[in-house]
Amino acid sequence: MRSWKEFLLAAVPLAAAQSSTTAPADGLTTAAGTQTGSVGTATINGSPTTYSVAFTVPASADVGPNLLPNIKDPNAKQAQQLCPGYKASGVERTARGFTASLTLAGEPCNVYGTDVEDLTLTVEVQTSHRLRVNIAPIYLDSSNTSHFILPENLVPAPKNGDLPQDIDLELSWSNEPSFSFVIVRKSTGDVLFDTRGSVLVYENQFIEFASQLPKDYNLYGMGERIHGLRLGNNFTATFYAADAGDPIDGNIYGNHPFYLDTRYFEVDESSGERTMVTTQNVSATGNYESYSHGVYLRNAHGGEALMLPSNLTWRTLGGSIDLYVFDGPTAEDVTKQYQSGAIGLPKMEQYWTFGYHQCRWGYKNWSMVEDVVNNYRAFDIPLETVWTDIDYMFQYRDFTNDQNTFPYDEGEELLSRLAANGQHYVPIVDSAIYIPNPNNASDNYSSYTDGHERGVFLTNADGSEYIGSVWPGYTVFPDWHASDSVSWWSDQLKQHHDNVPWSGIWIDMSEVSSFCIGSCGTGNLSLNPVHPPFGLPGEEGSKIFTYPEGFDKTNKSEAAMASSLSASQASAVAKATPPSTATTPYFVPTVTPGVRNVENPPYVINNINGALGVHAVSPNATHVDGVEEYDVHNLYGHQILNATYYGLLDVFPGKRPFIIGRSTFAGSGTVAGHWGGDNTSLFAYMYFSIAQALNFALFGIPMFGVDTCGFNGNSDEELCSRWMQLSAFFPFYRNHNTLSADSQEAYVWASVAEASRKAMAIRYSLLPYMYTLFYLSHTTGSTVMRALSWEYPNDPTLAAIDNQFLLGPSVMVVPVLGQGMDYARGVFPGIVQGEVWYDWYTQEVVSARPGQNVTIPAPLGHIPVFIRGGSVLPQQEALYTTLESRNSSWSLLCALDANGAATGQLYVDDGESLVPESSLFVDFAASEGSLYASARGLYNDTNALANVTIMGVASEPQSVTLNGEDVGNVAYDSSSKVLKLTQLTTTPAWMEDWVLSWA
């Protein structure tokens, strides 16, 4: 939700630096505190706000030791040079592969921990497309199991299928000079995984292994981070869930240790000989083929993947080597194999969730929320769902409403009106629970009291509750290992829903985030509620003066004023906190034989926040089963999403839960969607949003979107216009921004309103197509948003393209991604194979050469969209809500390919049931002047077929018939080659099969 580092760096300290055990100091709190003291005012979000003077957690409380990441340390010990590796022995064949013992091949190196001398190796063919390689310590008991083994109740392990007769993967191993293994694709001889030339390092806090890679390799995935789609060969991906405001290239909220590897080969047309090529010197007209495979490391510990010029080196702070290799051979195959066989298929979403959502941090009361809803209606911009950030809570406490600003009775009336109009409401829920002030008898909070009595909160090693700091003040954190935690969470959700009938839940701060290191609230609860250790946006020292790139060109005077105010604020901050001239030496963690240092492990990963406990629950926080947070930190967000899913099943029995969460792990897509977090109002972040979405398609979380128009900073008219149109083609479509920034709802600027209406008209008309894509994703693991290289696997020129994308197989979007541009640049794939592309707006065939980077006119308010020839797209009317659209007439958009053929599919159900009682499938096929529709299933859709548009009809037909009967309303455009049929029938469109013919 919020970029805490930005706030912290910009803030005027609100309390003198002091330890958290000292007496209160003056500061600000945005909600009335319970301590006695003076009262002041501040201007926040344009309005005077009254606050009590309360204790502010000092900024120093969230400052850890000065650590130098290993990858940046020129003097770091090199495990590959110092460690002996292992030797394999005792090989025993099994029904699916073999097992062996691995024994340290020399003296322990103990470079970043204590060497584990005896390991066990298990190799098994799990399915005809998946191979598992597992390496773990032989000697495990209750004292160390959690250090190495990821429990299946937290992250299910892929299961063996029927014993396969064959698989296109083969593993061989060697002990020369130490244990290594190679995985080969048998059909081509291509080496997919190769640890030769490196040694296996396996210590109690450090594991390292490497796989050789070809030159200029094409890897994708390794999330979550803001980066281009194709990962470079000089890049390190850090795996550690962090509350950080979308820094480019740094680790952020979630962890997905999975990659897709695509390799291209030039094929000699005469001999058929294949030669591997890089993407540096290739042509869209060449003769190529590609092979893709995937690799999943089932390990939840913090770690890194070093993508070096010649190899990929994995380093983790614990766990085991639990590798799963998927043979593809296409990128689509790999994605399906990973999702269907390893992490679980994406959940099916309710139909209404594909409408447009509006949110912001700064909606101060129900009246303001209703004004937003009414303004969207007044400007005729579709609005499906309105969201509220932490403003609605009583002093930022989960499952409460501030009765002065968001009273239950007023909310119930408003939400009842929304429901009557087919609209919805979603509130935020954070991941920490306020702990009341024991010296204030009126400071009651039943969510804490109930949870405390049921023993569902994380503890310190001594058994006392672990108390960190988040928005409401000093807080505790649910322990998802506790037996009552999920039922307690479900109870809180149900009780809140009884008061506020929301439709879904937004989970935030789930990395899990804390604004101080360690149990800083222990002994300090008499200070509660306390202010965070940084200024909130809009407070003195934290006012927002940033704008998108080029703002000085479009709004020169306003940009000059903002620059002046920003400089004044920076000067005031500098005067209040003069920069220190002292040099802080690096803290160098050391190895203690046989003992784990979980707070500062000897190997220092390149964590964006520094030490592991900075701005996060400390690694030594303890779960009820004795497991330390160090071993499961990356799973917290995944577990709270699971708990929320089951809670919503209790709230809405039989209906699909709608959840958007921030921190995710492999498999989170089975229960929730995700948004891209605290991005910034810059064109750069709009561009990166495409790669973000494509990555989460790989990770099995297709319900993805970003904060449209940007979260941090002020947006402007041009950026918001372009972004509102781009996000209209993302599955999750929401506008959201930060407290005190300029309003950026779609109606704020007339040009943005018009651009939004234009893009939403396309989106809403295509909702049946998008819903069908989601059903296919939910049942097969296919992707919804797609990279061009996945859909056209034999064109290496597409390998790095992430400035355009496909929505399913049939719709291509080429957005404008830069300031001041009135054009887009895009390629039209498949042209050399005869692919035909149509312009969405003119419905004419696009003229392009193979590989040509075409300049596409795109004045402000226009987003280029194209339809792939060979597609039949089902449509309904683009109306104000998804409910209205679902109850409107049907249309078909048929784009013929070069052979006059096209296919498509439609899936229909009730749009909400977890297990629909009935459903309907409609298949479409066009060929030789006829379009066929064939339905199966018992769902009763009563909407009529109104229109059919056929693109690519070479000449004007002399007759057009539907089931042999002449069609009356026919129009043919000889210039665009488009045949349009309107007012076709009043009978339900799919009640019986039909054929439409033209000749």
Side-chain angles (χ1 to χ4, degrees):
M1 187 176 72
R2 283 149 290 280
S3 174
W4 74 274
K5 276 200 168 183
E6 181 176 289
F7 302 164
L8 182 58
L9 292 172
V12 173
L14 303 177
Q18 53 193 295
S19 73
S20 58
T21 58
T22 58
D26 287 350
L28 302 180
T29 178
T30 56
T34 56
Q35 287 84 2
T36 58
S38 61
V39 175
T41 60
T43 300
I44 297 178
N45 200 32
S47 300
T49 298
T50 301
Y51 57 85
S52 67
V53 176
F55 177 69
T56 294
V57 178
S60 59
D62 204 21
V63 177
N66 187 24
L67 299 174
L68 180 62
N70 183 275
I71 62 169
K72 298 179 180 180
D73 183 357
N75 299 314
K77 297 177 182 178
Q78 298 302 313
Q80 289 297 311
Q81 299 172 10
L82 299 173
C83 297
Y86 289 78
K87 292 284 188 178
S89 62
V91 178
E92 294 186 6
R93 185 179 300 170
T94 66
R96 294 179 178 270
F98 67 92
T99 62
S101 297
L102 300 180
T103 306
L104 205 61
E107 291 298 316
C109 59
N110 298 330
V111 61
Y112 293 115
T114 303
D115 283 30
V116 179
E117 298 196 15
D118 298 296
L119 306 171
T120 183
L121 165 70
T122 302
V123 176
E124 58 183 5
V125 175
Q126 292 196 310
T127 72
S128 57
H129 296 287
R130 185 174 73 241
L131 179 71
R132 182 191 190 194
V133 180
N134 181 272
I135 301 175
I138 289 179
Y139 304 111
L140 293 170
D141 57 33
S142 59
S143 68
N144 67 354
T145 297
S146 65
H147 303 179
F148 300 105
I149 304 302
L150 179 55
E152 291 196 35
N153 66 314
L154 300 184
V155 179
K159 302 300 182 185
N160 289 332
D162 294 337
L163 190 63
Q165 298 300 310
D166 193 22
I167 184 173
D168 199 21
L169 298 173
E170 182 176 51
L171 181 144
S172 61
W173 64 275
S174 171
N175 268 338
E176 299 301 328
S178 66
F179 172 75
S180 63
F181 66 92
V182 175
I183 299 175
V184 175
R185 187 188 298 277
K186 293 190 295 186
S187 61
T188 64
D190 188 22
V191 178
L192 307 186
F193 207 93
D194 184 358
T195 69
R196 292 174 297 186
S198 62
V199 298
L200 169 63
V201 183
Y202 207 117
E203 300 177 342
N204 66 341
Q205 285 195 270
F206 180 74
I207 298 173
E208 178 176 284
F209 61 101
S211 174
Q212 305 304 309
L213 288 172
K215 182 180 179 182
D216 294 328
Y217 47 83
N218 304 295
L219 294 191
Y220 309 89
M222 296 295 204
E224 177 183 14
R225 67 204 77 261
I226 309 298
H227 191 79
L229 177 63
R230 179 178 179 267
L231 299 170
N233 61 5
N234 186 24
F235 178 70
T236 297
T238 302
F239 298 102
Y240 196 76
D243 173 11
D246 284 14
I248 293 173
D249 292 347
N251 57 300
I252 47 177
Y253 316 107
N255 288 275
H256 296 270
F258 165 81
Y259 68 81
L260 169 71
D261 182 334
T262 298
R263 302 179 184 185
Y264 295 94
F265 300 84
E266 188 168 20
V267 182
D268 187 289
E269 294 186 7
S270 57
S271 67
E273 183 179 346
R274 301 161 56 257
T275 304
M276 187 180 293
V277 296
T278 70
T279 58
Q280 303 304 309
N281 297 295
V282 291
S283 166
T285 60
N287 186 21
Y288 306 98
E289 62 183 23
S290 75
Y291 289 84
S292 293
H293 68 277
V295 176
Y296 168 42
L297 177 62
R298 185 176 166 272
N299 185 310
H301 278 77
E304 293 172 339
L306 285 66
M307 282 155 271
L308 304 171
S310 62
N311 72 61
L312 169 62
T313 297
W314 293 89
R315 294 172 176 172
T316 75
L317 301 182
S320 65
I321 299 173
D322 196 14
L323 279 173
Y324 299 84
V325 181
F326 308 87
D327 69 359
T330 68
E332 179 184 17
D333 292 332
V334 171
T335 305
K336 290 181 175 180
Q337 291 159 8
Y338 175 54
Q339 295 180 25
S340 64
I343 62 170
L345 291 164
K347 70 182 291 287
M348 189 64 182
E349 299 291 348
Q350 292 195 52
Y351 203 95
W352 66 266
T353 64
F354 297 106
Y356 173 69
H357 305 258
Q358 178 62 53
C359 181
R360 81 160 299 168
W361 185 17
Y363 292 151
K364 296 182 292 185
N365 50 49
W366 287 126
S367 295
M368 182 178 283
V369 172
E370 186 159 27
D371 284 346
V372 170
V373 174
N374 292 339
N375 282 335
Y376 270 94
R377 179 73 71 172
F379 284 90
D380 195 30
I381 304 170
L383 175 66
E384 186 76 16
T385 309
V386 65
W387 299 48
T388 52
D389 210 309
I390 58 176
D391 315 84
Y392 80 87
M393 300 177 183
F394 172 66
Q395 297 185 349
Y396 300 156
R397 304 179 191 187
D398 279 352
F399 312 115
T400 68
N401 275 40
D402 188 320
Q403 294 306 300
N404 291 317
T405 53
F406 289 87
Y408 293 139
D409 55 352
E410 184 180 338
E412 188 171 1
E413 292 175 4
L414 169 59
L415 301 189
S416 178
R417 291 193 292 273
L418 288 179
N421 292 327
Q423 294 173 297
H424 303 268
Y425 165 67
V426 173
I428 196 170
V429 173
D430 283 336
S431 303
I433 299 296
Y434 176 77
I435 182 168
N437 185 326
N439 295 343
N440 184 348
S442 66
D443 194 21
N444 298 316
Y445 182 40
S446 63
S447 293
Y448 168 76
T449 304
D450 186 21
H452 173 76
E453 292 173 351
R454 295 164 73 169
V456 301
F457 299 127
L458 284 172
T459 67
N460 295 298
D462 63 4
S464 61
E465 284 179 338
Y466 181 100
I467 306 171
S469 170
V470 192
W471 299 114
Y474 291 125
T475 58
V476 292
F477 302 85
D479 175 5
W480 303 113
H481 297 201
S483 59
D484 273 357
S485 59
V486 174
S487 60
W488 162 80
W489 188 253
S490 178
D491 289 343
Q492 308 314 306
L493 289 166
K494 285 188 291 185
Q495 290 166 17
H496 191 243
H497 184 266
D498 287 343
N499 293 319
V500 186
W502 35 257
S503 300
I505 287 294
W506 170 23
I507 297 294
D508 196 17
M509 312 300 289
S510 51
E511 291 68 36
V512 59
S513 177
S514 178
F515 301 158
C516 62
I517 296 176
S519 189
C520 62
T522 299
N524 294 319
L525 293 180
S526 61
L527 304 173
N528 241 353
V530 298
H531 189 284
F534 47 81
L536 301 184
E539 292 179 345
E540 289 300 322
S542 299
K543 294 182 179 179
I544 297 173
F545 301 115
T546 57
Y547 287 89
E549 306 96 321
F551 187 69
D552 58 329
K553 299 174 184 176
T554 58
N555 296 272
K556 189 172 182 178
S557 59
E558 190 173 348
M561 176 68 73
S563 178
S564 174
L565 292 171
S566 178
S568 297
Q569 177 171 264
S571 176
V573 170
K575 289 179 181 178
T577 56
S580 172
T581 58
T583 300
T584 304
Y586 288 118
F587 173 75
V588 180
T590 57
V591 175
T592 302
V595 177
R596 294 199 312 166
N597 181 351
V598 298
E599 293 181 78
N600 293 294
Y603 182 83
V604 180
I605 63 173
N606 189 32
N607 179 26
I608 193 69
N609 288 337
L612 302 184
V614 172
H615 214 68
V617 165
S618 175
N620 66 4
T622 306
H623 294 261
V624 68
D625 52 7
V627 173
E628 291 180 293
E629 183 68 3
Y630 176 90
D631 297 307
V632 292
H633 166 81
N634 285 338
L635 297 178
Y636 197 96
H638 180 66
Q639 291 178 280
I640 195 174
L641 291 177
N642 276 287
T644 305
Y645 182 86
Y646 289 106
L648 293 197
L649 287 179
D650 287 340
V651 175
F652 305 108
K655 291 187 179 181
R656 305 164 200 163
F658 176 58
I659 307 165
I660 295 294
R662 194 166 77 173
S663 184
T664 60
F665 191 76
S668 291
T670 61
V671 295
H674 174 59
W675 97 103
D678 297 349
N679 61 5
T680 301
S681 295
L682 295 171
F683 280 93
Y685 280 90
M686 182 171 66
Y687 157 69
F688 280 123
S689 72
I690 298 174
Q692 282 181 278
L694 295 174
N695 268 297
F696 275 89
L698 280 181
F699 302 150
I701 307 180
M703 193 61 169
F704 176 88
V706 297
D707 283 348
T708 300
C709 301
F711 177 76
N712 284 313
N714 296 303
S715 190
D716 72 357
E717 183 174 5
E718 181 183 8
L719 175 64
C720 204
S721 177
R722 295 298 191 191
W723 211 332
M724 283 293 294
Q725 292 203 310
L726 170 60
S727 286
F729 297 91
F730 281 38
F732 178 51
Y733 185 18
R734 186 184 74 167
N735 180 314
H736 177 228
N737 69 323
T738 191
L739 184 69
S740 84
D742 293 346
S743 294
Q744 61 184 41
E745 291 82 6
Y747 53 74
V748 169
W749 301 277
S751 65
V752 176
E754 180 56 31
S756 301
R757 284 189 289 265
K758 186 176 181 181
M760 287 183 187
I762 303 174
R763 176 190 181 88
Y764 276 63
S765 77
L766 286 174
L767 287 180
Y769 172 68
M770 185 179 289
Y771 192 70
T772 300
L773 291 174
F774 259 79
Y775 174 77
L776 296 174
S777 178
H778 170 64
T779 54
T780 72
S782 62
T783 51
V784 177
M785 285 181 66
R786 302 180 183 181
L788 272 60
S789 61
W790 305 344
E791 193 69 16
Y792 294 88
N794 296 327
D795 185 351
T797 67
L798 305 176
I801 288 182
D802 55 10
N803 64 333
Q804 60 187 100
F805 61 93
L806 291 161
L807 182 61
S810 301
V811 177
M812 185 168 70
V813 182
V814 188
V816 176
L817 298 169
Q819 189 276 327
M821 298 172 62
D822 59 2
Y823 62 89
R825 303 274 293 186
V827 298
F828 291 86
I831 295 291
V832 72
Q833 287 84 26
E835 194 81 277
V836 177
W837 290 94
Y838 297 87
D839 185 285
W840 174 275
Y841 305 95
T842 67
Q843 300 181 337
E844 296 178 338
V845 173
V846 173
S847 177
R849 299 187 303 275
Q852 179 187 9
N853 196 7
V854 180
T855 298
I856 306 165
L860 192 64
H862 177 80
I863 182 168
V865 180
F866 303 92
I867 308 167
R868 183 181 183 178
S871 305
V872 180
L873 301 178
Q875 296 179 283
Q876 287 182 284
E877 296 175 50
L879 301 175
Y880 195 76
T881 65
T882 61
L883 180 63
E884 294 175 33
S885 293
R886 262 181 73 87
N887 291 320
S888 68
S889 60
W890 290 97
S891 296
L892 293 177
L893 199 58
C894 179
L896 300 176
D897 65 14
N899 299 315
T903 59
Q905 190 176 30
L906 170 66
Y907 171 78
V908 186
D909 63 13
D910 65 12
E912 63 179 13
S913 295
L914 194 65
V915 182
E917 291 184 2
S918 59
S919 59
L920 182 72
F921 298 86
V922 187
D923 292 307
F924 306 106
S927 65
E928 299 180 345
S930 293
L931 172 62
Y932 302 86
S934 176
R936 61 194 188 278
L938 299 178
Y939 182 80
N940 183 27
D941 181 277
T942 59
N943 299 307
L945 176 66
N947 310 300
V948 175
T949 299
I950 306 169
M951 294 175 280
V953 178
S955 59
E956 183 173 5
Q958 299 304 305
S959 68
V960 180
T961 62
L962 179 62
N963 284 343
E965 299 289 332
D966 288 339
V967 174
N969 295 290
V970 178
Y972 178 75
D973 189 318
S974 59
S975 175
S976 63
K977 308 298 182 184
V978 175
L979 177 65
K980 291 188 177 182
L981 318 175
T982 58
Q983 301 177 10
L984 284 173
T985 177
T986 58
T987 60
W990 323 122
M991 183 173 66
E992 60 182 25
D993 296 351
W994 52 258
V995 56
L996 177 72
S997 300
W998 59 95

